[in-house]
Amino acid sequence: MAQTWCIVSDDGDATRTLAERLLADRHRVAVITRDTAPFALLVNDYADSILPVEVAHPDLLSLTDAVWSIEESFDTVDVIALVGEPREGGSVDGAAGFFTGSWPEAHVALVAPPARV
């Protein structure tokens, strides 16, 4: 069954790889990131199944606008994927609380980016 994923990350490479795999498996994907340019080709290939949302400064207003945009396109989110290294007080931990408050029924997946060689 297809799900709606919301990927939250500043790691464009890892996020693009994850989004591409999910889209190939026919899931819908929203991506909240500082730079949406790496997702342009995915938008061309998958059209309305992907929604990149650029948030330059992750303050409350910007994140609330991002959630609103995602809900306008996809209604709800089934899985929140936080890509990055979890650290106390860091953006990944803070994002988990904000987004689970927005989508309390969603599962949360912490995704560590691949090690860079």
Side-chain angles (χ1 to χ4, degrees):
M1 183 169 126
Q3 295 178 318
T4 300
W5 285 63
C6 177
I7 305 171
V8 181
S9 177
D10 286 335
D11 186 329
D13 294 335
T15 303
R16 188 181 188 293
T17 299
L18 176 59
E20 194 165 20
R21 287 181 185 162
L22 291 168
L23 291 163
D25 287 342
R26 300 184 186 265
H27 297 290
R28 297 184 304 177
V29 177
V31 178
I32 298 175
T33 187
R34 290 183 193 266
D35 180 17
T36 58
F39 304 95
L41 291 176
L42 292 178
V43 172
N44 288 344
D45 292 342
Y46 293 97
D48 294 338
S49 293
I50 182 167
L51 176 67
V53 179
E54 191 166 281
V55 175
H57 303 287
D59 56 27
L60 182 59
L61 181 59
S62 298
L63 294 175
T64 301
D65 284 346
V67 167
W68 181 82
S69 295
I70 293 165
E71 289 177 344
E72 282 289 306
S73 295
F74 297 146
D75 295 324
T76 191
V77 169
D78 300 304
V79 181
I80 303 163
L82 305 170
V83 178
E85 297 298 327
R87 56 190 179 274
E88 191 171 328
S91 61
V92 171
D93 290 338
F98 178 82
F99 293 110
T100 56
S102 299
W103 300 301
E105 300 296 319
H107 298 281
V108 177
L110 298 177
V111 180
R116 298 213 188 330
V117 182

